Amino acid sequence: MRNLIIGVIAFLTLVDLFATQAILPSLVAHYRVSPAAMGLAVNASTFGMAVAGIVVSLFSRRIDRRQGVVAALALLTIPTALLAFAPDLASFTALRVVHGLLMSTAFTLTLAYLAENCSARAAGGAFAAYITGNVASNLFGRLVSAAVADHFGLSANFLLFAALNLTGAALAFAALHRTEPMPGAERPGFAALDHLKNPALRTAFAIGFLILFAFIGTFTYVNFVLARPPLAVNPMQLGLVYFVFLPSILTTPLAGRAVQAFGTRPTFWAAIGLAGIGLPLLLTPKLPLVLAGLALIGVGTFFAQAVATGFVGRAAAGDRGAAGGFYLASYFLGGLVGSFALGQLYDRFGWPACVAGIGAALALAALLAFRLAQGRAMEIHPWHTGQEHEQPQVS
Protein backbone atom coordinates (compact mmCIF):
# COMPACT_ATOMS: atom_id res chain seq x y z
CA MET A 1 0.00 0.00 0.00
CA ARG A 2 2.85 2.40 0.83
CA ASN A 3 4.46 1.97 -2.58
CA LEU A 4 1.09 2.40 -4.29
CA ILE A 5 0.62 5.75 -2.54
CA ILE A 6 4.15 6.79 -3.52
CA GLY A 7 3.38 5.93 -7.15
CA VAL A 8 0.13 7.92 -7.11
CA ILE A 9 1.91 10.97 -5.65
CA ALA A 10 4.49 10.72 -8.46
CA PHE A 11 1.72 10.42 -11.03
CA LEU A 12 -0.07 13.53 -9.74
CA THR A 13 3.24 15.43 -9.52
CA LEU A 14 4.33 14.85 -13.13
CA VAL A 15 1.06 14.31 -14.96
CA ASP A 16 1.33 17.81 -16.48
CA LEU A 17 4.87 17.36 -17.81
CA PHE A 18 4.28 15.48 -21.05
CA ALA A 19 0.47 15.52 -21.24
CA THR A 20 0.53 18.79 -23.19
CA GLN A 21 2.52 17.13 -25.99
CA ALA A 22 -0.61 15.14 -26.86
CA ILE A 23 -2.50 18.32 -27.80
CA LEU A 24 0.25 20.09 -29.75
CA PRO A 25 -1.80 20.30 -32.99
CA SER A 26 -4.72 21.90 -31.12
CA LEU A 27 -2.38 24.38 -29.42
CA VAL A 28 -0.74 25.26 -32.75
CA ALA A 29 -4.16 26.03 -34.21
CA HIS A 30 -5.28 27.96 -31.12
CA TYR A 31 -2.25 30.24 -30.93
CA ARG A 32 -1.66 30.33 -34.71
CA VAL A 33 2.05 29.63 -34.41
CA SER A 34 4.43 27.15 -36.01
CA PRO A 35 4.80 23.61 -34.64
CA ALA A 36 8.42 24.37 -33.74
CA ALA A 37 7.46 27.45 -31.71
CA MET A 38 4.70 25.59 -29.90
CA GLY A 39 6.95 22.62 -29.24
CA LEU A 40 9.53 24.90 -27.64
CA ALA A 41 6.84 26.53 -25.49
CA VAL A 42 5.46 23.18 -24.30
CA ASN A 43 8.93 21.83 -23.47
CA ALA A 44 9.91 25.02 -21.61
CA SER A 45 8.86 23.15 -18.46
CA THR A 46 12.07 21.09 -18.64
CA PHE A 47 14.09 24.31 -18.32
CA GLY A 48 12.18 25.17 -15.16
CA MET A 49 12.75 21.67 -13.81
CA ALA A 50 16.51 21.88 -14.35
CA VAL A 51 16.71 25.29 -12.64
CA ALA A 52 14.59 24.18 -9.68
CA GLY A 53 16.71 21.07 -9.25
CA ILE A 54 19.79 23.23 -8.65
CA VAL A 55 17.99 25.75 -6.42
CA VAL A 56 16.47 23.03 -4.23
CA SER A 57 19.91 21.42 -3.98
CA LEU A 58 21.37 24.61 -2.53
CA PHE A 59 18.64 25.14 0.07
CA SER A 60 17.44 21.59 0.63
CA ARG A 61 18.48 21.42 4.29
CA ARG A 62 16.21 24.35 5.15
CA ILE A 63 13.09 22.80 3.58
CA ASP A 64 10.73 20.53 5.46
CA ARG A 65 10.13 17.67 3.01
CA ARG A 66 6.42 17.24 3.64
CA GLN A 67 5.60 20.95 3.72
CA GLY A 68 7.69 21.56 0.60
CA VAL A 69 5.99 18.81 -1.42
CA VAL A 70 2.51 19.88 -0.34
CA ALA A 71 3.18 23.57 -1.02
CA ALA A 72 4.73 22.91 -4.44
CA LEU A 73 1.81 20.74 -5.57
CA ALA A 74 -0.77 23.17 -4.21
CA LEU A 75 0.91 26.11 -5.97
CA LEU A 76 1.16 24.04 -9.16
CA THR A 77 -2.60 24.34 -9.54
CA ILE A 78 -2.23 28.09 -10.22
CA PRO A 79 -0.13 28.03 -13.43
CA THR A 80 -2.04 24.94 -14.62
CA ALA A 81 -5.38 26.73 -14.28
CA LEU A 82 -3.98 29.94 -15.82
CA LEU A 83 -2.90 27.98 -18.91
CA ALA A 84 -6.61 27.68 -19.69
CA PHE A 85 -6.70 31.45 -20.20
CA ALA A 86 -3.17 32.26 -21.48
CA PRO A 87 -3.71 34.94 -24.14
CA ASP A 88 -0.54 34.44 -26.17
CA LEU A 89 2.48 32.19 -26.68
CA ALA A 90 4.76 34.24 -24.42
CA SER A 91 2.46 33.90 -21.42
CA PHE A 92 1.93 30.21 -22.19
CA THR A 93 5.70 29.66 -22.25
CA ALA A 94 6.23 31.54 -18.99
CA LEU A 95 3.55 29.46 -17.27
CA ARG A 96 5.19 26.26 -18.52
CA VAL A 97 8.51 27.37 -17.00
CA VAL A 98 6.72 27.92 -13.66
CA HIS A 99 5.18 24.48 -14.12
CA GLY A 100 8.64 22.99 -14.32
CA LEU A 101 9.92 24.90 -11.29
CA LEU A 102 7.11 23.59 -9.07
CA MET A 103 7.05 20.04 -10.42
CA SER A 104 10.80 19.70 -9.97
CA THR A 105 10.60 21.05 -6.42
CA ALA A 106 7.97 18.48 -5.46
CA PHE A 107 9.86 15.71 -7.30
CA THR A 108 13.21 16.51 -5.65
CA LEU A 109 11.83 16.80 -2.13
CA THR A 110 9.85 13.57 -2.46
CA LEU A 111 12.98 11.68 -3.54
CA ALA A 112 14.82 13.15 -0.55
CA TYR A 113 11.95 12.15 1.77
CA LEU A 114 12.07 8.56 0.49
CA ALA A 115 15.86 8.31 0.81
CA GLU A 116 15.80 9.65 4.37
CA ASN A 117 12.80 7.67 5.64
CA CYS A 118 13.19 4.24 4.03
CA SER A 119 15.54 1.46 5.05
CA ALA A 120 18.12 0.28 2.52
CA ARG A 121 15.95 -2.72 1.67
CA ALA A 122 12.74 -0.71 1.27
CA ALA A 123 14.32 2.21 -0.58
CA GLY A 124 14.75 0.35 -3.88
CA GLY A 125 11.06 -0.53 -4.03
CA ALA A 126 10.02 2.98 -3.00
CA PHE A 127 12.13 4.64 -5.69
CA ALA A 128 10.90 2.15 -8.28
CA ALA A 129 7.29 2.91 -7.28
CA TYR A 130 7.94 6.63 -7.68
CA ILE A 131 9.44 6.19 -11.15
CA THR A 132 6.54 3.89 -12.05
CA GLY A 133 4.19 6.76 -11.24
CA ASN A 134 6.31 8.87 -13.58
CA VAL A 135 5.86 6.26 -16.33
CA ALA A 136 2.11 6.13 -15.75
CA SER A 137 1.92 9.92 -16.02
CA ASN A 138 3.60 9.69 -19.44
CA LEU A 139 0.93 7.31 -20.70
CA PHE A 140 -2.31 8.31 -19.01
CA GLY A 141 -1.53 12.02 -18.89
CA ARG A 142 -1.25 12.10 -22.68
CA LEU A 143 -4.36 9.97 -23.20
CA VAL A 144 -6.49 12.01 -20.80
CA SER A 145 -5.26 15.31 -22.24
CA ALA A 146 -6.02 14.26 -25.82
CA ALA A 147 -9.49 12.96 -24.91
CA VAL A 148 -10.56 15.92 -22.77
CA ALA A 149 -9.26 18.55 -25.20
CA ASP A 150 -10.99 16.79 -28.09
CA HIS A 151 -14.38 16.55 -26.36
CA PHE A 152 -14.46 19.60 -24.07
CA GLY A 153 -11.81 22.01 -25.35
CA LEU A 154 -8.38 23.24 -24.27
CA SER A 155 -9.60 25.24 -21.26
CA ALA A 156 -11.38 22.24 -19.73
CA ASN A 157 -8.22 20.20 -20.22
CA PHE A 158 -6.05 22.53 -18.15
CA LEU A 159 -8.69 22.99 -15.45
CA LEU A 160 -8.93 19.20 -15.06
CA PHE A 161 -5.16 18.94 -14.62
CA ALA A 162 -5.26 21.75 -12.04
CA ALA A 163 -7.72 19.62 -10.07
CA LEU A 164 -5.32 16.66 -10.32
CA ASN A 165 -2.50 18.84 -8.96
CA LEU A 166 -4.65 19.81 -5.98
CA THR A 167 -5.48 16.15 -5.39
CA GLY A 168 -1.75 15.40 -5.31
CA ALA A 169 -1.21 18.08 -2.67
CA ALA A 170 -4.00 16.64 -0.52
CA LEU A 171 -2.61 13.09 -0.84
CA ALA A 172 0.93 14.22 0.06
CA PHE A 173 -0.44 16.09 3.09
CA ALA A 174 -2.23 12.94 4.28
CA ALA A 175 0.46 10.37 3.45
CA LEU A 176 3.77 12.05 4.35
CA HIS A 177 4.82 12.94 7.87
CA ARG A 178 6.79 15.95 9.08
CA THR A 179 10.56 15.71 8.96
CA GLU A 180 13.00 17.15 11.46
CA PRO A 181 15.38 19.96 10.43
CA MET A 182 18.74 18.55 9.37
CA PRO A 183 22.15 19.40 10.85
CA GLY A 184 24.03 22.19 9.16
CA ALA A 185 20.93 24.10 8.06
CA GLU A 186 22.80 27.34 8.66
CA ARG A 187 25.15 26.54 5.78
CA PRO A 188 22.95 26.19 2.68
CA GLY A 189 24.81 24.98 -0.39
CA PHE A 190 27.71 23.40 1.54
CA ALA A 191 26.33 19.85 1.28
CA ALA A 192 25.44 20.43 -2.36
CA LEU A 193 29.05 21.29 -3.18
CA ASP A 194 30.18 18.21 -1.27
CA HIS A 195 28.01 16.06 -3.52
CA LEU A 196 29.80 17.41 -6.58
CA LYS A 197 33.07 16.16 -5.06
CA ASN A 198 31.68 12.62 -4.75
CA PRO A 199 32.81 10.59 -7.82
CA ALA A 200 29.95 8.11 -7.44
CA LEU A 201 27.37 10.90 -7.52
CA ARG A 202 29.06 12.73 -10.39
CA THR A 203 28.90 9.51 -12.40
CA ALA A 204 25.22 9.03 -11.54
CA PHE A 205 24.46 12.63 -12.54
CA ALA A 206 26.12 12.07 -15.92
CA ILE A 207 24.18 8.84 -16.40
CA GLY A 208 20.90 10.64 -15.65
CA PHE A 209 21.83 13.28 -18.26
CA LEU A 210 22.33 10.56 -20.88
CA ILE A 211 19.14 8.66 -20.01
CA LEU A 212 16.81 11.58 -20.73
CA PHE A 213 19.02 12.67 -23.66
CA ALA A 214 18.21 9.33 -25.31
CA PHE A 215 14.56 9.21 -24.20
CA ILE A 216 13.65 12.70 -25.38
CA GLY A 217 15.46 12.21 -28.68
CA THR A 218 13.59 8.99 -29.34
CA PHE A 219 10.07 10.06 -28.46
CA THR A 220 10.30 13.54 -29.97
CA TYR A 221 11.58 12.80 -33.46
CA VAL A 222 10.01 9.39 -34.01
CA ASN A 223 6.68 11.22 -34.39
CA PHE A 224 7.85 12.67 -37.70
CA VAL A 225 8.91 9.20 -38.86
CA LEU A 226 5.55 7.72 -37.90
CA ALA A 227 3.61 10.44 -39.72
CA ARG A 228 5.42 10.14 -43.07
CA PRO A 229 5.47 7.24 -45.57
CA PRO A 230 5.96 4.32 -45.48
CA LEU A 231 4.39 4.23 -42.00
CA ALA A 232 1.97 7.14 -42.59
CA VAL A 233 0.21 6.88 -39.22
CA ASN A 234 -2.86 9.12 -39.04
CA PRO A 235 -3.54 11.38 -36.02
CA MET A 236 -6.02 8.95 -34.42
CA GLN A 237 -3.58 6.05 -34.69
CA LEU A 238 -0.77 8.26 -33.41
CA GLY A 239 -2.63 8.60 -30.13
CA LEU A 240 -2.52 4.82 -29.70
CA VAL A 241 1.28 4.94 -29.92
CA TYR A 242 1.28 6.15 -26.30
CA PHE A 243 0.43 2.61 -25.23
CA VAL A 244 4.08 1.69 -25.81
CA PHE A 245 4.57 3.01 -22.25
CA LEU A 246 2.25 0.36 -20.82
CA PRO A 247 4.93 -2.38 -20.47
CA SER A 248 7.10 0.10 -18.54
CA ILE A 249 4.36 0.49 -15.92
CA LEU A 250 4.52 -3.26 -15.32
CA THR A 251 8.32 -3.63 -15.33
CA THR A 252 9.63 -0.51 -13.57
CA PRO A 253 8.38 -1.58 -10.09
CA LEU A 254 10.75 -4.57 -10.36
CA ALA A 255 13.85 -2.36 -10.45
CA GLY A 256 14.33 -2.32 -6.68
CA ARG A 257 14.14 -6.12 -6.43
CA ALA A 258 16.49 -6.52 -9.38
CA VAL A 259 19.12 -4.29 -7.73
CA GLN A 260 18.85 -6.29 -4.51
CA ALA A 261 19.20 -9.58 -6.37
CA PHE A 262 21.87 -8.72 -8.97
CA GLY A 263 23.46 -5.42 -7.92
CA THR A 264 23.39 -1.92 -9.38
CA ARG A 265 25.69 -2.35 -12.36
CA PRO A 266 24.31 -5.63 -13.81
CA THR A 267 20.76 -4.34 -13.47
CA PHE A 268 21.63 -1.04 -15.13
CA TRP A 269 23.47 -2.78 -17.97
CA ALA A 270 20.51 -5.08 -18.59
CA ALA A 271 18.18 -2.06 -18.80
CA ILE A 272 20.47 -0.19 -21.21
CA GLY A 273 20.95 -3.35 -23.25
CA LEU A 274 17.19 -3.75 -23.59
CA ALA A 275 16.85 -0.19 -24.84
CA GLY A 276 19.72 -0.79 -27.27
CA ILE A 277 17.94 -3.82 -28.74
CA GLY A 278 14.99 -1.58 -29.57
CA LEU A 279 17.02 0.96 -31.57
CA PRO A 280 17.47 -1.02 -34.83
CA LEU A 281 13.73 -1.70 -34.87
CA LEU A 282 13.11 2.05 -35.22
CA LEU A 283 14.72 1.95 -38.67
CA THR A 284 12.39 -0.68 -40.12
CA PRO A 285 9.43 0.17 -42.42
CA LYS A 286 7.06 -2.06 -40.39
CA LEU A 287 4.85 -0.29 -37.82
CA PRO A 288 4.64 -3.26 -35.41
CA LEU A 289 8.44 -3.47 -35.30
CA VAL A 290 8.79 0.27 -34.71
CA LEU A 291 6.26 0.10 -31.87
CA ALA A 292 8.10 -2.87 -30.38
CA GLY A 293 11.33 -0.87 -30.54
CA LEU A 294 9.68 2.08 -28.79
CA ALA A 295 8.32 -0.23 -26.08
CA LEU A 296 11.78 -1.72 -25.49
CA ILE A 297 13.37 1.73 -25.29
CA GLY A 298 10.66 2.87 -22.86
CA VAL A 299 11.12 -0.19 -20.63
CA GLY A 300 14.92 0.10 -20.72
CA THR A 301 15.24 3.83 -20.07
CA PHE A 302 12.62 3.96 -17.30
CA PHE A 303 14.15 0.91 -15.62
CA ALA A 304 17.60 2.54 -15.89
CA GLN A 305 16.22 5.76 -14.43
CA ALA A 306 14.76 3.88 -11.45
CA VAL A 307 18.13 2.21 -10.83
CA ALA A 308 20.07 5.48 -11.12
CA THR A 309 17.61 7.40 -8.93
CA GLY A 310 17.81 4.77 -6.21
CA PHE A 311 21.61 4.76 -6.41
CA VAL A 312 21.76 8.53 -5.86
CA GLY A 313 19.55 8.19 -2.79
CA ARG A 314 21.93 5.61 -1.31
CA ALA A 315 25.20 7.18 -2.47
CA ALA A 316 24.62 10.58 -0.86
CA ALA A 317 26.58 10.67 2.39
CA GLY A 318 24.81 13.80 3.59
CA ASP A 319 21.88 15.90 2.40
CA ARG A 320 19.90 13.63 0.09
CA GLY A 321 17.67 16.49 -1.02
CA ALA A 322 20.69 18.25 -2.47
CA ALA A 323 21.87 15.07 -4.19
CA GLY A 324 18.44 14.44 -5.67
CA GLY A 325 18.22 18.03 -6.86
CA PHE A 326 21.52 17.81 -8.70
CA TYR A 327 20.50 14.50 -10.25
CA LEU A 328 17.22 15.92 -11.53
CA ALA A 329 18.92 19.09 -12.81
CA SER A 330 21.36 16.95 -14.77
CA TYR A 331 18.57 14.64 -15.91
CA PHE A 332 16.39 17.39 -17.32
CA LEU A 333 19.36 19.25 -18.75
CA GLY A 334 20.05 16.05 -20.69
CA GLY A 335 16.55 16.27 -22.11
CA LEU A 336 17.10 19.84 -23.28
CA VAL A 337 20.47 19.08 -24.84
CA GLY A 338 19.19 15.85 -26.38
CA SER A 339 16.22 17.61 -27.93
CA PHE A 340 18.52 20.18 -29.55
CA ALA A 341 21.49 17.98 -30.52
CA LEU A 342 19.48 15.07 -31.87
CA GLY A 343 17.20 17.51 -33.66
CA GLN A 344 20.22 18.85 -35.50
CA LEU A 345 21.20 15.33 -36.50
CA TYR A 346 17.66 14.63 -37.67
CA ASP A 347 17.37 17.83 -39.72
CA ARG A 348 20.79 17.54 -41.36
CA PHE A 349 21.35 13.81 -41.77
CA GLY A 350 18.00 12.11 -41.24
CA TRP A 351 16.46 9.59 -38.86
CA PRO A 352 19.26 6.97 -39.03
CA ALA A 353 21.79 9.56 -37.81
CA CYS A 354 19.42 10.52 -35.00
CA VAL A 355 19.10 6.87 -33.96
CA ALA A 356 22.89 6.55 -34.05
CA GLY A 357 23.16 9.54 -31.70
CA ILE A 358 20.68 7.91 -29.32
CA GLY A 359 22.70 4.71 -29.42
CA ALA A 360 25.91 6.61 -28.66
CA ALA A 361 24.29 8.17 -25.57
CA LEU A 362 23.14 4.78 -24.29
CA ALA A 363 26.57 3.25 -24.94
CA LEU A 364 28.27 6.06 -23.00
CA ALA A 365 25.86 5.56 -20.09
CA ALA A 366 26.75 1.85 -20.05
CA LEU A 367 30.46 2.68 -19.99
CA LEU A 368 30.00 5.14 -17.14
CA ALA A 369 28.22 2.42 -15.16
CA PHE A 370 31.58 0.62 -14.83
CA ARG A 371 32.37 3.29 -12.23
CA LEU A 372 29.40 2.36 -10.05
CA ALA A 373 29.78 -0.32 -7.41
CA GLN A 374 27.67 -1.23 -4.40
CA GLY A 375 29.74 -1.10 -1.25
CA ARG A 376 28.93 -3.16 1.82
CA ALA A 377 29.77 -0.58 4.45
CA MET A 378 26.80 0.49 6.53
CA GLU A 379 26.38 3.83 8.15
CA ILE A 380 23.83 5.56 10.37
CA HIS A 381 22.89 9.10 9.42
CA PRO A 382 22.10 11.43 12.32
CA TRP A 383 18.80 12.61 10.91
CA HIS A 384 17.52 9.05 10.49
CA THR A 385 15.69 7.15 13.20
CA GLY A 386 17.99 4.19 13.39
CA GLN A 387 17.68 3.26 9.71
CA GLU A 388 20.70 1.81 7.94
CA HIS A 389 21.77 2.49 4.37
CA GLU A 390 24.36 0.79 2.25
CA GLN A 391 26.95 3.24 1.01
CA PRO A 392 27.58 2.98 -2.75
CA GLN A 393 31.16 3.39 -3.86
CA VAL A 394 33.11 4.07 -7.02
CA SER A 395 35.08 1.07 -8.19
Side-chain angles (χ1 to χ4, degrees):
M1 179 59 71
R2 180 201 61 188
N3 284 352
L4 176 62
I5 293 173
I6 290 170
V8 174
I9 291 175
F11 176 88
L12 296 172
T13 299
L14 298 173
V15 71
D16 304 78
L17 183 57
F18 294 115
T20 313
Q21 291 181 349
I23 56 173
L24 272 173
S26 298
L27 290 170
V28 166
H30 179 75
Y31 287 104
R32 299 180 180 179
V33 296
S34 70
M38 198 70 240
L40 181 62
V42 165
N43 289 319
S45 57
T46 57
F47 172 77
M49 296 193 80
V51 171
I54 295 174
V55 173
V56 173
S57 296
L58 296 176
F59 298 97
S60 174
R61 287 178 177 270
R62 294 180 178 269
I63 304 173
D64 179 279
R65 300 343 188 179
R66 175 176 179 259
Q67 290 182 349
V69 172
V70 172
L73 292 177
L75 291 172
L76 185 58
T77 63
I78 298 174
T80 307
L82 290 178
L83 282 169
F85 311 104
D88 51 42
L89 189 63
S91 58
F92 185 97
T93 303
L95 288 170
R96 285 294 286 173
V97 172
V98 177
H99 247 172
L101 291 169
L102 293 170
M103 281 188 282
S104 183
T105 299
F107 197 136
T108 304
L109 293 176
T110 304
L111 292 181
Y113 178 92
L114 296 177
E116 294 161 3
N117 291 274
C118 293
S119 67
R121 181 172 296 275
F127 283 119
Y130 198 75
I131 301 304
T132 301
N134 181 3
V135 180
S137 72
N138 269 269
L139 170 58
F140 294 108
R142 296 174 199 244
L143 292 175
V144 169
S145 183
V148 173
D150 184 49
H151 288 86
F152 303 104
L154 291 173
S155 295
N157 170 75
F158 291 117
L159 293 175
L160 172 63
F161 279 93
L164 291 176
N165 298 150
L166 191 59
T167 302
L171 180 59
F173 180 83
L176 306 182
H177 60 76
R178 267 188 86 95
T179 56
E180 295 296 325
M182 293 180 6
E186 71 281 358
R187 304 175 68 187
F190 178 77
L193 295 178
D194 271 356
H195 290 320
L196 294 178
K197 299 175 184 177
N198 184 331
L201 287 177
R202 288 203 307 268
T203 299
F205 299 157
I207 286 173
F209 178 98
L210 293 166
I211 290 173
L212 197 60
F213 182 103
F215 179 86
I216 287 288
T218 300
F219 287 94
T220 296
Y221 298 106
V222 74
N223 292 298
F224 298 103
V225 177
L226 291 168
R228 73 187 186 196
L231 300 176
V233 174
N234 64 44
M236 182 175 297
Q237 292 172 327
L238 195 59
L240 299 178
V241 171
Y242 301 144
F243 280 101
V244 298
F245 293 119
L246 189 58
S248 301
I249 298 177
L250 303 177
T251 57
T252 304
L254 304 176
R257 294 181 183 178
V259 170
Q260 289 180 18
F262 306 108
T264 298
R265 287 187 297 184
T267 303
F268 184 81
W269 284 328
I272 293 297
L274 197 63
I277 292 171
L279 285 178
L281 300 179
L282 303 184
L283 301 175
T284 65
K286 303 287 187 181
L287 181 59
L289 292 178
V290 173
L291 295 180
L294 291 174
L296 288 171
I297 293 169
V299 169
T301 52
F302 278 117
F303 209 92
Q305 186 198 357
V307 174
T309 304
F311 182 88
V312 169
R314 297 189 303 274
D319 184 356
R320 284 169 165 76
F326 270 113
Y327 175 81
L328 289 179
S330 181
Y331 179 76
F332 287 108
L333 181 61
L336 288 173
V337 175
S339 179
F340 174 78
L342 295 172
Q344 294 299 308
L345 286 177
Y346 180 85
D347 285 343
R348 298 184 183 189
F349 306 106
W351 179 235
C354 184
V355 171
I358 296 166
L362 293 176
L364 182 55
L367 288 174
L368 286 174
F370 273 104
R371 295 178 54 87
L372 302 182
Q374 184 69 47
R376 296 299 177 188
M378 307 291 285
E379 64 175 6
I380 303 292
H381 298 296
W383 55 88
H384 287 197
T385 56
Q387 295 173 337
E388 295 180 336
H389 289 261
E390 290 185 351
Q391 180 65 22
Q393 310 273 339
V394 172
S395 59

